[in-house]
């Protein structure tokens, strides 16, 4: 399993975003997330309990400025500053202020870089989080399916979760949102089918996309070791077929195999 240093890690090469400098707003010693996805590269929540606190707003700002200054000195500037890491970044209580700090530092050191947030959308319903996400170039929000049964079994939200409310929150971005959706096959550790590539999952998901009208859709599959071992990558042919259906709805789509 992969855990990321905090508050700044990398840069790393992202298959979707280019040369990415990571910003992890969760503790460095474990995982703290509002989802407990069975496919998460960081592992399951219960296996990576944290004892350290989240980094403060000041610690994030100081670490990010030091790293950007160093990269500027060597002429190696990032393509993107990416909020990701060991859990849901928008759960940080100072997330909106950290976004403001990050944009200011980006403008000073690497004005060509984009700011990206990789989120599971659980906090997008909060007005201050919504406002902050409207300020970043790549507001990337997860929607693997609109089946609550599948979400409870595979994404496993921690606490209350209403997929209809999530779809409404994504619609409220008025197009300033990228929807990322993971497709896979196989079985979970209890032998239950986790294939969400069939018509029963894809068609309702497409209907939600038509309502959300995102600026882009990211169709992808698992890439690294998963905590549950029976999960399998969706085939390139399957991903391409799903992506083509998205294109037929007039939406921009990219595929990561």
């Amino acid at each position: 399993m992969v855990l990321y240093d905090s508050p700044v890690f990398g840069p790393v090469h992202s298959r979707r975003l280019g040369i990415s400098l990571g910003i992890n707003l969760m503790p460095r010693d474990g995982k703290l997330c509002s989802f407990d996805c069975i496919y998460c590269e960081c592992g399951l929540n219960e296996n990576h309990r944290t004892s350290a606190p989240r980094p403060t707003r000041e610690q994030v700002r100081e670490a990010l400025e030091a790293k950007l200054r160093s990269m500027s000195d060597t002429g190696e500037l990032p393509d993107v500053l990416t909020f990701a890491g060991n859990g849901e970044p928008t759960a940080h209580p100072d997330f909106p202020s950290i976004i403001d700090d990050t944009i200011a530092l980006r403008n000073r050191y690497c004005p060509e870089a984009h700011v990206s947030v990789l989120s599971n959308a659980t906090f997008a319903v909060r007005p201050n989080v919504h406002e902050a996400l409207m300020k970043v170039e790549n507001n990337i929000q997860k929607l693997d399916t609109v089946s609550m049964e599948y979400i409870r079994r595979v994404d496993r939200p921690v606490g209350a979760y209403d997929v209809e409310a999530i779809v409404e929150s994504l619609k409220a971005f008025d197009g300033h949102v990228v929807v990322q959706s993971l497709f896979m096959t196989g079985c979970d550790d209890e032998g239950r089918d986790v294939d969400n590539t069939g018509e029963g999952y894809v068609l309702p998901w497409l209907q939600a996309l038509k309502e959300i009208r995102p600026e882009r859709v990211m169709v992808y599959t698992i890439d690294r070791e998963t905590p549950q071992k029976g999960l399998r990558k969706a085939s390139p042919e399957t991903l391409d077929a799903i992506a083509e259906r998205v294109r037929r709805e007039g939406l921009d789509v990219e595929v990561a195999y």
Side-chain angles (χ1 to χ4, degrees):
M1 297 297 104
V2 179
L3 289 175
Y4 295 92
D5 204 2
S6 179
V8 175
F9 62 93
V12 298
H13 186 271
S14 166
R15 57 180 173 157
R16 288 171 285 167
L17 301 173
I19 301 301
S20 172
L21 182 63
I23 303 171
N24 172 31
L25 301 185
M26 296 299 113
R28 67 173 62 193
D29 66 338
K31 184 186 172 198
L32 189 60
C33 194
S34 52
F35 268 9
D36 193 20
C37 300
I38 65 174
Y39 58 75
C40 181
E41 65 182 30
C42 296
L44 302 179
N45 293 351
E46 65 181 359
N47 296 330
H48 298 281
R49 299 291 186 186
T50 63
S51 57
R54 295 184 179 103
T56 65
R57 173 187 178 182
E58 292 73 21
Q59 288 171 331
V60 175
R61 184 178 63 243
E62 291 170 4
L64 181 58
E65 181 164 22
K67 185 63 175 181
L68 289 176
R69 187 185 301 118
S70 172
M71 294 180 74
S72 179
D73 289 344
T74 62
E76 181 194 24
L77 294 173
D79 299 311
V80 62
L81 307 175
T82 304
F83 286 84
N86 303 338
E88 174 52 38
T90 63
H92 194 291
D94 288 327
F95 177 75
S97 299
I98 291 171
I99 288 293
D100 288 340
D101 293 342
T102 300
I103 290 172
L105 290 170
R106 182 276 307 275
N107 292 345
R108 184 185 310 168
Y109 289 99
C110 50
E112 299 300 317
H114 287 180
V115 177
S116 297
V117 177
L118 300 181
S119 172
N120 62 27
T122 51
F123 292 92
V125 297
R126 295 184 176 180
N128 63 340
V129 171
H130 173 96
E131 182 180 359
L133 290 169
M134 288 295 290
K135 299 176 182 179
V136 307
E137 285 80 12
N138 295 319
N139 170 27
I140 304 173
Q141 303 290 321
K142 171 175 288 297
L143 187 68
D144 292 340
T145 177
V146 294
S147 165
M148 275 303 306
E149 185 276 333
Y150 188 92
I151 291 166
R152 290 191 189 99
R153 193 160 45 83
V154 173
D155 296 317
R156 305 198 304 180
V158 178
Y161 181 93
D162 181 347
V163 71
E164 293 183 3
I166 295 299
V167 170
E168 289 300 315
S169 74
L170 299 182
K171 289 165 61 176
F173 287 114
D174 197 24
H176 183 65
V177 62
V178 176
V179 171
Q180 62 165 359
S181 302
L182 183 140
F183 293 92
M184 63 181 179
T185 65
C187 296
D188 65 15
D189 279 357
E190 297 182 26
R192 297 174 299 185
D193 186 12
V194 298
D195 187 339
N196 64 333
T197 67
E199 188 71 2
Y201 291 108
V202 173
L203 184 57
W205 171 79
L206 283 169
Q207 290 298 124
L209 292 181
K210 289 164 65 176
E211 296 179 18
I212 297 165
R213 304 305 299 178
E215 62 188 62
R216 190 162 79 259
V217 179
M218 292 179 168
V219 171
Y220 70 117
T221 191
I222 51 180
D223 185 47
R224 296 189 173 107
E225 181 183 0
T226 59
Q228 295 204 7
K229 303 306 179 186
L231 314 182
R232 300 290 179 262
K233 294 169 73 76
S235 70
E237 295 78 13
T238 297
L239 296 177
D240 285 340
I242 293 170
E244 181 56 32
R245 295 182 68 173
V246 176
R247 291 189 188 97
R248 290 203 297 266
E249 299 298 339
L251 298 173
D252 187 23
V253 61
E254 63 182 74
V255 183
Y257 304 107

